[in-house]
Amino acid sequence: MDFQSFLSPVIISAQVILIASIISFTAALFIAWWMKGKSFKGRSVIETVLMLPLVLPPTVIGFGLLILMGRQSWIGQAFEWLFSMPLVFSFWAAVVAAAVVAFPLIYQTLINAFESVEEELEEAASQMGAKQSQVFLYVTLPLSWRSLVTGYMLGFARGLGEFGATIMFAGNIPGRTQTMPTAIYASVQSGQTVLAYYWVGSMILFSFLLLSVVHRLKR
């Protein structure tokens, strides 16, 4: 087995998911904060849209990203103008795909945690003169830290295993966009099953460790 062939998708996967998980976690944190405790017409529609990537087939998500951020879209054209390269079939396309599929799990975990915090504690802080942002920062977040870590790890694991949207939007370019899931697919197609075994084993081990931490946090 060529060690470099094994290592390249591992490194790309690590880089992609580290950036994507930070993006999706930050977005989920701010949106969950904004949505927390609010009841308004259209909330269910907004939350349904936010949760769609959780239930849609990954290839549908990938196709949607091609339409929304492809070279013919204003987002794709703006990206190409700014960075002198197309977004599609680039490293950043893989980041976007992973962030989109990771977001719903993180958001659902965070919004459930924030809304389960006792309102009496938050109201007490408000009556003592704390602003809404201070209440969230010094009361809600500390009481929800386990869920924050859990949500991040679940999103991390989901993004790490992303295949369909990635291969549709970012492709499977060795050394550039080939993550472990797409590398497994390519190696099986080409008969390189030994490499596939190593990548599969690595992902199972890593996912097992992540889920073990999540279960410990729930105790």
Side-chain angles (χ1 to χ4, degrees):
M1 183 189 73
D2 182 1
F3 184 70
Q4 184 59 39
S5 298
F6 167 77
L7 195 59
S8 177
V10 175
I11 293 173
I12 292 173
S13 289
Q15 292 171 335
V16 165
I17 193 53
L18 282 173
I19 299 171
S21 59
I22 291 171
I23 292 171
S24 53
F25 180 82
T26 303
L29 182 65
F30 278 102
I31 295 174
W33 174 44
W34 183 77
M35 295 285 280
K36 178 185 177 299
K38 288 186 172 63
S39 179
F40 56 88
K41 187 176 181 180
R43 171 171 174 159
S44 60
V45 175
I46 293 174
E47 290 202 312
T48 299
V49 172
L50 293 175
M51 296 302 294
L52 268 179
L54 188 63
V55 296
L56 285 175
T59 49
V60 174
I61 298 171
F63 181 77
L65 290 174
L66 282 173
I67 299 300
L68 290 173
M69 301 183 180
R71 300 191 73 174
Q72 301 304 314
S73 70
W74 69 268
I75 297 177
Q77 291 173 353
F79 184 93
E80 192 165 350
W81 179 76
L82 284 171
F83 300 101
S84 301
M85 59 176 287
L87 176 58
V88 179
F89 302 130
S90 70
F91 171 84
W92 292 104
V95 170
V96 170
V100 168
V101 299
F103 174 86
L105 272 176
I106 301 175
Y107 171 77
Q108 191 62 53
T109 304
L110 297 191
I111 191 67
N112 288 342
F114 294 162
E115 294 190 337
S116 67
V117 173
E118 294 182 18
E119 292 183 6
E120 291 81 3
L121 298 174
E122 296 175 323
E123 289 174 0
S126 297
Q127 290 171 2
M128 293 175 68
K131 298 178 182 178
Q132 185 179 1
S133 58
Q134 292 175 318
V135 172
F136 181 74
L137 186 62
Y138 296 109
V139 178
T140 309
L141 280 183
L143 292 174
S144 307
W145 74 268
R146 291 177 182 269
S147 295
L148 294 179
V149 177
T150 297
Y152 178 82
M153 288 188 169
L154 289 175
F156 192 100
R158 177 64 186 90
L160 181 66
E162 167 50 35
F163 171 75
T166 301
I167 205 165
M168 287 279 290
F169 188 50
N172 185 28
I173 306 170
R176 198 164 84 188
T177 67
Q178 189 177 66
T179 58
M180 281 193 285
T182 59
I184 291 168
Y185 174 79
S187 64
V188 171
Q189 291 292 100
S190 62
Q192 296 177 302
T193 53
V194 174
L195 269 174
Y197 280 129
Y198 279 106
W199 284 319
V200 168
S202 300
M203 293 194 68
I204 291 174
L205 177 61
F206 188 73
S207 298
F208 178 84
L209 293 174
L210 277 180
L211 290 176
S212 296
V213 175
V214 169
H215 285 303
R216 284 181 177 274
L217 288 171
K218 288 182 178 180
R219 292 178 182 177

mmCIF file of all heavy atoms in Angstrom, residues 196-218:
data_model
loop_
_atom_site.group_PDB
_atom_site.id
_atom_site.type_symbol
_atom_site.label_atom_id
_atom_site.label_comp_id
_atom_site.label_asym_id
_atom_site.label_seq_id
_atom_site.Cartn_x
_atom_site.Cartn_y
_atom_site.Cartn_z
ATOM 1 N N ALA A 196 -9.275 0.764 0.613
ATOM 2 C CA ALA A 196 -10.640 0.988 1.107
ATOM 3 C C ALA A 196 -10.783 0.472 2.532
ATOM 4 O O ALA A 196 -11.392 1.136 3.385
ATOM 5 C CB ALA A 196 -11.656 0.309 0.187
ATOM 6 N N TYR A 197 -10.211 -0.705 2.812
ATOM 7 C CA TYR A 197 -10.270 -1.259 4.167
ATOM 8 C C TYR A 197 -9.641 -0.311 5.188
ATOM 9 O O TYR A 197 -10.183 -0.089 6.284
ATOM 10 C CB TYR A 197 -9.546 -2.605 4.217
ATOM 11 C CG TYR A 197 -10.348 -3.778 3.703
ATOM 12 C CD1 TYR A 197 -9.815 -4.654 2.755
ATOM 13 C CD2 TYR A 197 -11.627 -4.022 4.190
ATOM 14 C CE1 TYR A 197 -10.540 -5.731 2.279
ATOM 15 C CE2 TYR A 197 -12.362 -5.105 3.716
ATOM 16 C CZ TYR A 197 -11.820 -5.962 2.772
ATOM 17 O OH TYR A 197 -12.541 -7.023 2.306
ATOM 18 N N TYR A 198 -8.506 0.248 4.856
ATOM 19 C CA TYR A 198 -7.819 1.146 5.786
ATOM 20 C C TYR A 198 -8.632 2.415 6.045
ATOM 21 O O TYR A 198 -8.731 2.879 7.187
ATOM 22 C CB TYR A 198 -6.431 1.510 5.246
ATOM 23 C CG TYR A 198 -5.393 0.452 5.508
ATOM 24 C CD1 TYR A 198 -4.931 -0.378 4.488
ATOM 25 C CD2 TYR A 198 -4.860 0.273 6.785
ATOM 26 C CE1 TYR A 198 -3.971 -1.358 4.734
ATOM 27 C CE2 TYR A 198 -3.900 -0.694 7.043
ATOM 28 C CZ TYR A 198 -3.465 -1.515 6.007
ATOM 29 O OH TYR A 198 -2.516 -2.479 6.261
ATOM 30 N N TRP A 199 -9.200 3.000 4.980
ATOM 31 C CA TRP A 199 -10.014 4.205 5.162
ATOM 32 C C TRP A 199 -11.287 3.902 5.943
ATOM 33 O O TRP A 199 -11.668 4.667 6.822
ATOM 34 C CB TRP A 199 -10.351 4.813 3.802
ATOM 35 C CG TRP A 199 -9.217 5.555 3.178
ATOM 36 C CD1 TRP A 199 -8.329 6.396 3.787
ATOM 37 C CD2 TRP A 199 -8.836 5.499 1.803
ATOM 38 N NE1 TRP A 199 -7.424 6.878 2.875
ATOM 39 C CE2 TRP A 199 -7.708 6.355 1.643
ATOM 40 C CE3 TRP A 199 -9.328 4.849 0.678
ATOM 41 C CZ2 TRP A 199 -7.081 6.552 0.423
ATOM 42 C CZ3 TRP A 199 -8.697 5.041 -0.543
ATOM 43 C CH2 TRP A 199 -7.588 5.882 -0.660
ATOM 44 N N VAL A 200 -11.928 2.791 5.606
ATOM 45 C CA VAL A 200 -13.151 2.405 6.322
ATOM 46 C C VAL A 200 -12.847 2.168 7.801
ATOM 47 O O VAL A 200 -13.571 2.644 8.689
ATOM 48 C CB VAL A 200 -13.776 1.145 5.695
ATOM 49 C CG1 VAL A 200 -14.869 0.567 6.597
ATOM 50 C CG2 VAL A 200 -14.357 1.461 4.312
ATOM 51 N N GLY A 201 -11.763 1.444 8.068
ATOM 52 C CA GLY A 201 -11.378 1.190 9.456
ATOM 53 C C GLY A 201 -11.092 2.470 10.217
ATOM 54 O O GLY A 201 -11.498 2.624 11.377
ATOM 55 N N SER A 202 -10.412 3.410 9.560
ATOM 56 C CA SER A 202 -10.089 4.688 10.197
ATOM 57 C C SER A 202 -11.348 5.466 10.539
ATOM 58 O O SER A 202 -11.477 6.031 11.642
ATOM 59 C CB SER A 202 -9.198 5.530 9.280
ATOM 60 O OG SER A 202 -7.989 4.870 8.997
ATOM 61 N N MET A 203 -12.320 5.494 9.612
ATOM 62 C CA MET A 203 -13.542 6.244 9.843
ATOM 63 C C MET A 203 -14.402 5.592 10.916
ATOM 64 O O MET A 203 -15.013 6.290 11.739
ATOM 65 C CB MET A 203 -14.322 6.387 8.539
ATOM 66 C CG MET A 203 -13.633 7.250 7.501
ATOM 67 S SD MET A 203 -14.712 7.743 6.155
ATOM 68 C CE MET A 203 -15.836 8.852 6.993
ATOM 69 N N ILE A 204 -14.445 4.266 10.926
ATOM 70 C CA ILE A 204 -15.221 3.570 11.966
ATOM 71 C C ILE A 204 -14.630 3.843 13.344
ATOM 72 O O ILE A 204 -15.357 4.150 14.300
ATOM 73 C CB ILE A 204 -15.269 2.055 11.688
ATOM 74 C CG1 ILE A 204 -16.120 1.769 10.449
ATOM 75 C CG2 ILE A 204 -15.818 1.302 12.901
ATOM 76 C CD1 ILE A 204 -16.110 0.319 10.016
ATOM 77 N N LEU A 205 -13.315 3.767 13.448
ATOM 78 C CA LEU A 205 -12.643 4.004 14.725
ATOM 79 C C LEU A 205 -12.874 5.428 15.212
ATOM 80 O O LEU A 205 -13.230 5.652 16.383
ATOM 81 C CB LEU A 205 -11.148 3.729 14.590
ATOM 82 C CG LEU A 205 -10.294 3.996 15.843
ATOM 83 C CD1 LEU A 205 -10.742 3.107 16.998
ATOM 84 C CD2 LEU A 205 -8.815 3.771 15.531
ATOM 85 N N PHE A 206 -12.701 6.383 14.321
ATOM 86 C CA PHE A 206 -12.861 7.782 14.707
ATOM 87 C C PHE A 206 -14.301 8.083 15.098
ATOM 88 O O PHE A 206 -14.561 8.763 16.101
ATOM 89 C CB PHE A 206 -12.417 8.695 13.567
ATOM 90 C CG PHE A 206 -12.364 10.143 13.945
ATOM 91 C CD1 PHE A 206 -11.359 10.623 14.774
ATOM 92 C CD2 PHE A 206 -13.322 11.036 13.491
ATOM 93 C CE1 PHE A 206 -11.309 11.962 15.145
ATOM 94 C CE2 PHE A 206 -13.285 12.372 13.860
ATOM 95 C CZ PHE A 206 -12.275 12.832 14.679
ATOM 96 N N SER A 207 -15.257 7.577 14.316
ATOM 97 C CA SER A 207 -16.673 7.799 14.617
ATOM 98 C C SER A 207 -17.054 7.148 15.945
ATOM 99 O O SER A 207 -17.837 7.705 16.724
ATOM 100 C CB SER A 207 -17.547 7.240 13.488
ATOM 101 O OG SER A 207 -17.275 7.899 12.277
ATOM 102 N N PHE A 208 -16.496 5.960 16.195
ATOM 103 C CA PHE A 208 -16.759 5.267 17.458
ATOM 104 C C PHE A 208 -16.278 6.111 18.641
ATOM 105 O O PHE A 208 -16.983 6.248 19.651
ATOM 106 C CB PHE A 208 -16.062 3.903 17.459
ATOM 107 C CG PHE A 208 -16.233 3.132 18.735
ATOM 108 C CD1 PHE A 208 -17.364 2.362 18.954
ATOM 109 C CD2 PHE A 208 -15.259 3.188 19.721
ATOM 110 C CE1 PHE A 208 -17.524 1.667 20.137
ATOM 111 C CE2 PHE A 208 -15.406 2.494 20.907
ATOM 112 C CZ PHE A 208 -16.546 1.718 21.124
ATOM 113 N N LEU A 209 -15.085 6.678 18.515
ATOM 114 C CA LEU A 209 -14.545 7.504 19.596
ATOM 115 C C LEU A 209 -15.393 8.753 19.825
ATOM 116 O O LEU A 209 -15.669 9.130 20.973
ATOM 117 C CB LEU A 209 -13.101 7.902 19.268
ATOM 118 C CG LEU A 209 -12.080 6.762 19.249
ATOM 119 C CD1 LEU A 209 -10.731 7.273 18.767
ATOM 120 C CD2 LEU A 209 -11.949 6.140 20.635
ATOM 121 N N LEU A 210 -15.835 9.384 18.734
ATOM 122 C CA LEU A 210 -16.672 10.569 18.857
ATOM 123 C C LEU A 210 -17.986 10.247 19.557
ATOM 124 O O LEU A 210 -18.413 10.955 20.477
ATOM 125 C CB LEU A 210 -16.962 11.168 17.475
ATOM 126 C CG LEU A 210 -15.923 12.100 16.860
ATOM 127 C CD1 LEU A 210 -16.391 12.578 15.498
ATOM 128 C CD2 LEU A 210 -15.665 13.298 17.764
ATOM 129 N N LEU A 211 -18.642 9.174 19.129
ATOM 130 C CA LEU A 211 -19.923 8.798 19.724
ATOM 131 C C LEU A 211 -19.765 8.367 21.174
ATOM 132 O O LEU A 211 -20.664 8.583 21.994
ATOM 133 C CB LEU A 211 -20.582 7.688 18.897
ATOM 134 C CG LEU A 211 -21.083 8.130 17.518
ATOM 135 C CD1 LEU A 211 -21.633 6.931 16.757
ATOM 136 C CD2 LEU A 211 -22.168 9.199 17.657
ATOM 137 N N SER A 212 -18.627 7.779 21.513
ATOM 138 C CA SER A 212 -18.373 7.398 22.899
ATOM 139 C C SER A 212 -18.333 8.648 23.788
ATOM 140 O O SER A 212 -18.891 8.652 24.896
ATOM 141 C CB SER A 212 -17.045 6.646 23.014
ATOM 142 O OG SER A 212 -17.093 5.438 22.305
ATOM 143 N N VAL A 213 -17.689 9.689 23.298
ATOM 144 C CA VAL A 213 -17.627 10.947 24.045
ATOM 145 C C VAL A 213 -19.020 11.538 24.192
ATOM 146 O O VAL A 213 -19.411 12.043 25.256
ATOM 147 C CB VAL A 213 -16.677 11.949 23.355
ATOM 148 C CG1 VAL A 213 -16.721 13.304 24.065
ATOM 149 C CG2 VAL A 213 -15.258 11.406 23.345
ATOM 150 N N VAL A 214 -19.805 11.512 23.097
ATOM 151 C CA VAL A 214 -21.174 12.034 23.134
ATOM 152 C C VAL A 214 -22.017 11.312 24.178
ATOM 153 O O VAL A 214 -22.741 11.934 24.964
ATOM 154 C CB VAL A 214 -21.834 11.918 21.744
ATOM 155 C CG1 VAL A 214 -23.337 12.209 21.823
ATOM 156 C CG2 VAL A 214 -21.181 12.883 20.766
ATOM 157 N N HIS A 215 -21.928 9.991 24.227
ATOM 158 C CA HIS A 215 -22.705 9.229 25.205
ATOM 159 C C HIS A 215 -22.254 9.519 26.633
ATOM 160 O O HIS A 215 -23.070 9.550 27.550
ATOM 161 C CB HIS A 215 -22.570 7.730 24.906
ATOM 162 C CG HIS A 215 -23.375 7.289 23.730
ATOM 163 N ND1 HIS A 215 -24.728 7.477 23.637
ATOM 164 C CD2 HIS A 215 -23.008 6.653 22.567
ATOM 165 C CE1 HIS A 215 -25.178 7.004 22.487
ATOM 166 N NE2 HIS A 215 -24.152 6.507 21.820
ATOM 167 N N ARG A 216 -20.972 9.738 26.827
ATOM 168 C CA ARG A 216 -20.484 10.075 28.165
ATOM 169 C C ARG A 216 -21.020 11.429 28.611
ATOM 170 O O ARG A 216 -21.333 11.649 29.792
ATOM 171 C CB ARG A 216 -18.959 10.096 28.182
ATOM 172 C CG ARG A 216 -18.321 8.721 28.187
ATOM 173 C CD ARG A 216 -16.820 8.806 28.228
ATOM 174 N NE ARG A 216 -16.214 7.479 28.294
ATOM 175 C CZ ARG A 216 -16.003 6.823 29.420
ATOM 176 N NH1 ARG A 216 -16.343 7.372 30.588
ATOM 177 N NH2 ARG A 216 -15.442 5.618 29.422
ATOM 178 N N LEU A 217 -21.121 12.374 27.678
ATOM 179 C CA LEU A 217 -21.620 13.711 28.011
ATOM 180 C C LEU A 217 -23.103 13.690 28.382
ATOM 181 O O LEU A 217 -23.582 14.555 29.115
ATOM 182 C CB LEU A 217 -21.406 14.661 26.833
ATOM 183 C CG LEU A 217 -19.962 15.092 26.559
ATOM 184 C CD1 LEU A 217 -19.871 15.849 25.256
ATOM 185 C CD2 LEU A 217 -19.437 15.945 27.713
ATOM 186 N N LYS A 218 -23.838 12.715 27.851
ATOM 187 C CA LYS A 218 -25.271 12.647 28.136
ATOM 188 C C LYS A 218 -25.567 12.076 29.527
ATOM 189 O O LYS A 218 -26.706 12.134 29.991
ATOM 190 C CB LYS A 218 -25.967 11.777 27.081
ATOM 191 C CG LYS A 218 -26.056 12.452 25.715
ATOM 192 C CD LYS A 218 -26.793 11.570 24.731
ATOM 193 C CE LYS A 218 -26.936 12.273 23.379
ATOM 194 N NZ LYS A 218 -27.637 11.441 22.395
#
